[in-house]
Short mmCIF file of all heavy atoms in Angstrom, two decimals:
data_model
loop_
_atom_site.label_atom_id
_atom_site.label_comp_id
_atom_site.label_asym_id
_atom_site.label_seq_id
_atom_site.Cartn_x
_atom_site.Cartn_y
_atom_site.Cartn_z
N LEU A 1 -9.61 5.40 7.54
CA LEU A 1 -10.58 4.98 6.54
C LEU A 1 -11.95 5.63 6.73
O LEU A 1 -12.69 5.81 5.77
CB LEU A 1 -10.73 3.45 6.57
CG LEU A 1 -9.60 2.64 5.96
CD1 LEU A 1 -9.86 1.16 6.13
CD2 LEU A 1 -9.41 2.97 4.48
N ASP A 2 -12.26 6.01 7.96
CA ASP A 2 -13.56 6.65 8.20
C ASP A 2 -13.67 7.99 7.47
O ASP A 2 -14.76 8.44 7.13
CB ASP A 2 -13.81 6.83 9.68
CG ASP A 2 -14.10 5.51 10.40
OD1 ASP A 2 -14.40 4.52 9.69
OD2 ASP A 2 -14.00 5.45 11.62
N HIS A 3 -12.53 8.62 7.22
CA HIS A 3 -12.54 9.86 6.43
C HIS A 3 -13.04 9.57 5.02
O HIS A 3 -13.81 10.36 4.46
CB HIS A 3 -11.13 10.46 6.38
CG HIS A 3 -10.99 11.61 5.43
ND1 HIS A 3 -11.57 12.84 5.66
CD2 HIS A 3 -10.35 11.70 4.23
CE1 HIS A 3 -11.28 13.64 4.64
NE2 HIS A 3 -10.54 12.98 3.76
N LEU A 4 -12.62 8.46 4.45
CA LEU A 4 -13.06 8.09 3.11
C LEU A 4 -14.55 7.79 3.10
O LEU A 4 -15.29 8.22 2.20
CB LEU A 4 -12.29 6.87 2.60
CG LEU A 4 -10.89 7.10 2.01
CD1 LEU A 4 -9.93 7.63 3.06
CD2 LEU A 4 -10.36 5.84 1.40
N VAL A 5 -15.00 7.04 4.10
CA VAL A 5 -16.42 6.68 4.19
C VAL A 5 -17.27 7.94 4.32
O VAL A 5 -18.30 8.09 3.65
CB VAL A 5 -16.65 5.73 5.37
CG1 VAL A 5 -18.15 5.47 5.55
CG2 VAL A 5 -15.92 4.41 5.13
N ASP A 6 -16.84 8.86 5.17
CA ASP A 6 -17.57 10.11 5.36
C ASP A 6 -17.65 10.92 4.07
O ASP A 6 -18.65 11.58 3.80
CB ASP A 6 -16.89 10.95 6.46
CG ASP A 6 -17.53 12.31 6.63
OD1 ASP A 6 -18.65 12.38 7.17
OD2 ASP A 6 -16.93 13.32 6.18
N LEU A 7 -16.61 10.84 3.26
CA LEU A 7 -16.55 11.60 2.01
C LEU A 7 -17.47 11.00 0.94
O LEU A 7 -17.85 11.69 -0.01
CB LEU A 7 -15.11 11.62 1.51
CG LEU A 7 -14.71 12.68 0.49
CD1 LEU A 7 -14.90 14.09 1.05
CD2 LEU A 7 -13.24 12.46 0.08
N GLY A 8 -17.82 9.73 1.08
CA GLY A 8 -18.66 9.06 0.11
C GLY A 8 -17.86 8.19 -0.85
O GLY A 8 -18.39 7.73 -1.87
N VAL A 9 -16.61 7.92 -0.51
CA VAL A 9 -15.74 7.07 -1.32
C VAL A 9 -16.14 5.61 -1.13
O VAL A 9 -16.51 5.20 -0.03
CB VAL A 9 -14.27 7.31 -0.93
CG1 VAL A 9 -13.35 6.24 -1.49
CG2 VAL A 9 -13.83 8.70 -1.35
N ASP A 10 -16.02 4.81 -2.19
CA ASP A 10 -16.26 3.38 -2.03
C ASP A 10 -15.13 2.51 -2.60
O ASP A 10 -15.20 1.29 -2.53
CB ASP A 10 -17.59 2.95 -2.63
CG ASP A 10 -17.77 3.42 -4.07
OD1 ASP A 10 -16.77 3.54 -4.80
OD2 ASP A 10 -18.93 3.69 -4.47
N THR A 11 -14.07 3.15 -3.14
CA THR A 11 -12.94 2.39 -3.68
C THR A 11 -11.64 3.11 -3.33
O THR A 11 -11.49 4.30 -3.63
CB THR A 11 -13.04 2.23 -5.20
OG1 THR A 11 -14.26 1.54 -5.52
CG2 THR A 11 -11.87 1.44 -5.76
N LEU A 12 -10.73 2.39 -2.71
CA LEU A 12 -9.41 2.92 -2.34
C LEU A 12 -8.39 2.38 -3.32
O LEU A 12 -8.28 1.18 -3.56
CB LEU A 12 -9.06 2.46 -0.93
CG LEU A 12 -7.62 2.71 -0.45
CD1 LEU A 12 -7.30 4.20 -0.40
CD2 LEU A 12 -7.41 2.06 0.93
N TYR A 13 -7.65 3.30 -3.92
CA TYR A 13 -6.56 2.92 -4.83
C TYR A 13 -5.23 3.40 -4.23
O TYR A 13 -5.06 4.59 -3.96
CB TYR A 13 -6.78 3.53 -6.21
CG TYR A 13 -5.52 3.80 -7.01
CD1 TYR A 13 -4.54 2.82 -7.20
CD2 TYR A 13 -5.29 5.05 -7.58
CE1 TYR A 13 -3.37 3.09 -7.90
CE2 TYR A 13 -4.14 5.33 -8.30
CZ TYR A 13 -3.18 4.35 -8.44
OH TYR A 13 -2.03 4.60 -9.14
N LEU A 14 -4.31 2.46 -4.01
CA LEU A 14 -2.99 2.77 -3.46
C LEU A 14 -1.94 2.69 -4.56
O LEU A 14 -1.91 1.73 -5.33
CB LEU A 14 -2.59 1.77 -2.38
CG LEU A 14 -3.44 1.64 -1.12
CD1 LEU A 14 -2.79 0.64 -0.18
CD2 LEU A 14 -3.60 2.97 -0.42
N THR A 15 -1.06 3.68 -4.63
CA THR A 15 0.13 3.53 -5.46
C THR A 15 0.99 2.43 -4.84
O THR A 15 0.68 1.93 -3.75
CB THR A 15 0.87 4.87 -5.57
OG1 THR A 15 1.21 5.34 -4.27
CG2 THR A 15 0.02 5.91 -6.29
N PRO A 16 2.07 1.98 -5.50
CA PRO A 16 2.70 0.71 -5.12
C PRO A 16 3.09 0.56 -3.65
O PRO A 16 3.49 1.52 -2.99
CB PRO A 16 3.96 0.68 -6.01
CG PRO A 16 3.57 1.44 -7.21
CD PRO A 16 2.71 2.56 -6.70
N VAL A 17 2.97 -0.67 -3.19
CA VAL A 17 3.32 -1.00 -1.80
C VAL A 17 4.49 -1.99 -1.75
O VAL A 17 4.91 -2.38 -0.65
CB VAL A 17 2.11 -1.59 -1.05
CG1 VAL A 17 0.97 -0.58 -0.99
CG2 VAL A 17 1.63 -2.89 -1.69
N PHE A 18 5.02 -2.39 -2.89
CA PHE A 18 6.16 -3.30 -2.90
C PHE A 18 7.44 -2.54 -2.55
O PHE A 18 7.53 -1.34 -2.77
CB PHE A 18 6.30 -3.98 -4.27
CG PHE A 18 5.07 -4.71 -4.71
CD1 PHE A 18 4.38 -4.35 -5.87
CD2 PHE A 18 4.57 -5.77 -3.96
CE1 PHE A 18 3.25 -5.02 -6.28
CE2 PHE A 18 3.43 -6.46 -4.36
CZ PHE A 18 2.76 -6.08 -5.51
N PRO A 19 8.44 -3.23 -2.02
CA PRO A 19 9.68 -2.53 -1.65
C PRO A 19 10.35 -1.90 -2.86
O PRO A 19 10.33 -2.45 -3.97
CB PRO A 19 10.56 -3.64 -1.08
CG PRO A 19 9.64 -4.77 -0.74
CD PRO A 19 8.49 -4.66 -1.71
N GLY A 20 10.92 -0.74 -2.65
CA GLY A 20 11.66 -0.04 -3.70
C GLY A 20 12.43 1.09 -3.06
O GLY A 20 11.99 1.70 -2.10
N GLU A 21 13.58 1.41 -3.59
CA GLU A 21 14.45 2.41 -2.98
C GLU A 21 14.03 3.82 -3.42
O GLU A 21 14.81 4.58 -4.02
CB GLU A 21 15.91 2.12 -3.31
CG GLU A 21 16.39 0.80 -2.69
CD GLU A 21 17.87 0.53 -2.95
OE1 GLU A 21 18.47 1.27 -3.76
OE2 GLU A 21 18.39 -0.42 -2.35
N SER A 22 12.81 4.17 -3.12
CA SER A 22 12.27 5.49 -3.41
C SER A 22 10.99 5.67 -2.62
O SER A 22 10.42 4.70 -2.09
CB SER A 22 11.95 5.63 -4.91
OG SER A 22 10.88 4.79 -5.29
N ASN A 23 10.51 6.91 -2.55
CA ASN A 23 9.24 7.15 -1.85
C ASN A 23 8.03 6.73 -2.68
O ASN A 23 6.96 6.50 -2.15
CB ASN A 23 9.12 8.62 -1.44
CG ASN A 23 9.36 9.59 -2.58
OD1 ASN A 23 8.91 9.38 -3.69
ND2 ASN A 23 10.07 10.68 -2.29
N HIS A 24 8.20 6.62 -4.02
CA HIS A 24 7.05 6.25 -4.87
C HIS A 24 6.93 4.75 -5.09
O HIS A 24 5.88 4.26 -5.45
CB HIS A 24 7.15 6.98 -6.20
CG HIS A 24 8.43 6.76 -6.95
ND1 HIS A 24 8.79 5.57 -7.52
CD2 HIS A 24 9.44 7.63 -7.23
CE1 HIS A 24 9.96 5.68 -8.11
NE2 HIS A 24 10.39 6.92 -7.96
N ARG A 25 8.04 4.03 -4.93
CA ARG A 25 8.06 2.56 -5.01
C ARG A 25 7.68 2.01 -6.40
O ARG A 25 7.35 0.82 -6.52
CB ARG A 25 7.14 1.94 -3.94
CG ARG A 25 7.58 2.25 -2.51
CD ARG A 25 6.67 1.60 -1.47
NE ARG A 25 7.21 1.76 -0.14
CZ ARG A 25 7.01 2.83 0.65
NH1 ARG A 25 6.25 3.82 0.21
NH2 ARG A 25 7.56 2.90 1.84
N TYR A 26 7.78 2.81 -7.44
CA TYR A 26 7.60 2.27 -8.77
C TYR A 26 8.84 1.56 -9.27
O TYR A 26 8.82 0.97 -10.36
CB TYR A 26 7.20 3.40 -9.75
CG TYR A 26 5.74 3.81 -9.60
CD1 TYR A 26 5.40 4.98 -8.94
CD2 TYR A 26 4.72 3.00 -10.09
CE1 TYR A 26 4.06 5.36 -8.79
CE2 TYR A 26 3.39 3.37 -9.94
CZ TYR A 26 3.08 4.54 -9.29
OH TYR A 26 1.75 4.90 -9.14
N ASN A 27 9.92 1.58 -8.50
CA ASN A 27 11.15 0.83 -8.82
C ASN A 27 11.24 -0.38 -7.90
O ASN A 27 12.17 -0.54 -7.12
CB ASN A 27 12.38 1.73 -8.69
CG ASN A 27 12.49 2.37 -7.32
OD1 ASN A 27 11.49 2.52 -6.61
ND2 ASN A 27 13.70 2.78 -6.94
N ALA A 28 10.27 -1.27 -8.04
CA ALA A 28 10.13 -2.40 -7.10
C ALA A 28 11.34 -3.33 -7.12
O ALA A 28 11.94 -3.58 -8.17
CB ALA A 28 8.87 -3.19 -7.44
N SER A 29 11.68 -3.86 -5.95
CA SER A 29 12.75 -4.86 -5.83
C SER A 29 12.18 -6.27 -5.76
O SER A 29 12.91 -7.25 -5.88
CB SER A 29 13.62 -4.56 -4.61
OG SER A 29 12.85 -4.58 -3.43
N THR A 30 10.88 -6.37 -5.56
CA THR A 30 10.17 -7.66 -5.60
C THR A 30 8.69 -7.38 -5.69
O THR A 30 8.22 -6.29 -5.29
CB THR A 30 10.46 -8.51 -4.36
OG1 THR A 30 9.77 -9.77 -4.49
CG2 THR A 30 9.97 -7.85 -3.08
N PHE A 31 7.95 -8.33 -6.25
CA PHE A 31 6.49 -8.26 -6.24
C PHE A 31 5.88 -9.29 -5.29
O PHE A 31 4.66 -9.49 -5.29
CB PHE A 31 5.93 -8.51 -7.65
CG PHE A 31 6.33 -7.49 -8.69
CD1 PHE A 31 6.89 -7.88 -9.90
CD2 PHE A 31 6.15 -6.14 -8.45
CE1 PHE A 31 7.26 -6.96 -10.85
CE2 PHE A 31 6.51 -5.19 -9.40
CZ PHE A 31 7.08 -5.61 -10.61
N ASP A 32 6.73 -9.91 -4.49
CA ASP A 32 6.28 -11.02 -3.67
C ASP A 32 5.95 -10.64 -2.23
O ASP A 32 5.43 -11.46 -1.49
CB ASP A 32 7.35 -12.13 -3.64
CG ASP A 32 7.46 -12.83 -5.00
OD1 ASP A 32 6.49 -12.78 -5.77
OD2 ASP A 32 8.52 -13.42 -5.26
N GLU A 33 6.25 -9.40 -1.84
CA GLU A 33 5.98 -9.00 -0.46
C GLU A 33 5.78 -7.50 -0.39
O GLU A 33 6.18 -6.74 -1.28
CB GLU A 33 7.12 -9.41 0.47
CG GLU A 33 8.45 -8.76 0.16
CD GLU A 33 9.57 -9.28 1.02
OE1 GLU A 33 9.58 -10.50 1.31
OE2 GLU A 33 10.43 -8.48 1.39
N VAL A 34 5.15 -7.06 0.69
CA VAL A 34 4.88 -5.64 0.92
C VAL A 34 6.06 -5.05 1.69
O VAL A 34 6.65 -5.69 2.57
CB VAL A 34 3.57 -5.47 1.70
CG1 VAL A 34 3.34 -4.01 2.10
CG2 VAL A 34 2.40 -5.99 0.87
N ASP A 35 6.39 -3.82 1.35
CA ASP A 35 7.51 -3.12 1.98
C ASP A 35 7.35 -3.08 3.50
O ASP A 35 6.31 -2.66 4.00
CB ASP A 35 7.57 -1.70 1.41
CG ASP A 35 8.89 -1.01 1.68
OD1 ASP A 35 9.62 -1.42 2.61
OD2 ASP A 35 9.21 -0.04 0.96
N GLU A 36 8.39 -3.50 4.21
CA GLU A 36 8.35 -3.46 5.66
C GLU A 36 8.26 -2.03 6.18
O GLU A 36 7.78 -1.79 7.30
CB GLU A 36 9.60 -4.14 6.25
CG GLU A 36 9.60 -5.65 6.10
CD GLU A 36 8.48 -6.33 6.88
OE1 GLU A 36 8.01 -5.74 7.90
OE2 GLU A 36 8.04 -7.41 6.47
N LEU A 37 8.72 -1.05 5.41
CA LEU A 37 8.58 0.36 5.82
C LEU A 37 7.12 0.78 5.87
O LEU A 37 6.78 1.77 6.53
CB LEU A 37 9.35 1.26 4.85
CG LEU A 37 10.87 1.09 4.83
CD1 LEU A 37 11.47 1.90 3.70
CD2 LEU A 37 11.46 1.52 6.17
N LEU A 38 6.27 0.03 5.18
CA LEU A 38 4.81 0.29 5.23
C LEU A 38 4.11 -0.58 6.25
O LEU A 38 2.91 -0.43 6.47
CB LEU A 38 4.20 0.05 3.84
CG LEU A 38 4.62 1.01 2.73
CD1 LEU A 38 4.04 0.55 1.40
CD2 LEU A 38 4.15 2.44 3.03
N GLY A 39 4.83 -1.51 6.85
CA GLY A 39 4.24 -2.43 7.80
C GLY A 39 4.20 -3.87 7.34
O GLY A 39 3.74 -4.75 8.07
N GLY A 40 4.67 -4.11 6.10
CA GLY A 40 4.74 -5.46 5.59
C GLY A 40 3.39 -6.09 5.28
O GLY A 40 2.34 -5.42 5.29
N ASP A 41 3.44 -7.39 4.98
CA ASP A 41 2.21 -8.11 4.62
C ASP A 41 1.13 -8.04 5.70
O ASP A 41 -0.07 -7.98 5.41
CB ASP A 41 2.53 -9.58 4.33
CG ASP A 41 3.32 -9.78 3.04
OD1 ASP A 41 3.74 -8.76 2.45
OD2 ASP A 41 3.51 -10.94 2.65
N GLU A 42 1.58 -8.03 6.96
CA GLU A 42 0.61 -8.01 8.07
C GLU A 42 -0.22 -6.73 8.06
O GLU A 42 -1.44 -6.75 8.24
CB GLU A 42 1.33 -8.17 9.40
CG GLU A 42 2.05 -9.50 9.57
CD GLU A 42 3.42 -9.52 8.89
OE1 GLU A 42 3.85 -8.46 8.36
OE2 GLU A 42 4.06 -10.58 8.89
N ALA A 43 0.43 -5.60 7.83
CA ALA A 43 -0.30 -4.34 7.78
C ALA A 43 -1.21 -4.28 6.56
O ALA A 43 -2.31 -3.71 6.62
CB ALA A 43 0.68 -3.17 7.78
N TYR A 44 -0.76 -4.85 5.45
CA TYR A 44 -1.60 -4.90 4.26
C TYR A 44 -2.83 -5.74 4.52
O TYR A 44 -3.95 -5.39 4.10
CB TYR A 44 -0.79 -5.50 3.11
CG TYR A 44 -1.19 -5.07 1.72
CD1 TYR A 44 -1.79 -3.84 1.47
CD2 TYR A 44 -0.92 -5.89 0.62
CE1 TYR A 44 -2.14 -3.46 0.18
CE2 TYR A 44 -1.25 -5.51 -0.67
CZ TYR A 44 -1.86 -4.30 -0.88
OH TYR A 44 -2.18 -3.92 -2.17
N ARG A 45 -2.65 -6.84 5.23
CA ARG A 45 -3.78 -7.69 5.60
C ARG A 45 -4.80 -6.90 6.42
O ARG A 45 -6.01 -6.98 6.18
CB ARG A 45 -3.26 -8.88 6.40
CG ARG A 45 -4.29 -9.80 7.03
CD ARG A 45 -4.81 -10.80 6.04
NE ARG A 45 -5.87 -10.28 5.19
CZ ARG A 45 -6.08 -10.64 3.94
NH1 ARG A 45 -5.28 -11.49 3.33
NH2 ARG A 45 -7.08 -10.11 3.25
N ARG A 46 -4.31 -6.12 7.38
CA ARG A 46 -5.22 -5.32 8.22
C ARG A 46 -5.95 -4.29 7.37
O ARG A 46 -7.15 -4.05 7.57
CB ARG A 46 -4.43 -4.64 9.35
CG ARG A 46 -3.91 -5.61 10.40
CD ARG A 46 -3.35 -4.88 11.61
NE ARG A 46 -2.08 -4.23 11.33
CZ ARG A 46 -0.88 -4.81 11.44
NH1 ARG A 46 -0.82 -6.09 11.82
NH2 ARG A 46 0.22 -4.13 11.21
N LEU A 47 -5.25 -3.66 6.44
CA LEU A 47 -5.88 -2.64 5.60
C LEU A 47 -6.93 -3.25 4.67
O LEU A 47 -8.04 -2.73 4.55
CB LEU A 47 -4.82 -1.90 4.79
CG LEU A 47 -5.34 -0.87 3.79
CD1 LEU A 47 -6.16 0.21 4.47
CD2 LEU A 47 -4.20 -0.25 2.99
N VAL A 48 -6.58 -4.34 4.01
CA VAL A 48 -7.53 -4.98 3.10
C VAL A 48 -8.78 -5.41 3.85
O VAL A 48 -9.92 -5.19 3.40
CB VAL A 48 -6.87 -6.20 2.40
CG1 VAL A 48 -7.91 -7.03 1.66
CG2 VAL A 48 -5.79 -5.73 1.44
#
């Protein structure tokens, strides 16, 4: 994140983080949890 701060960014936009059988995750299998391959809800909590 310090790379973003150094660049002068103030808003981070992530493409989908919900589980889906693809690298883009636009084919979500649920909207209720974050993909464990990304670290799950706990990693999302740390990032937010």
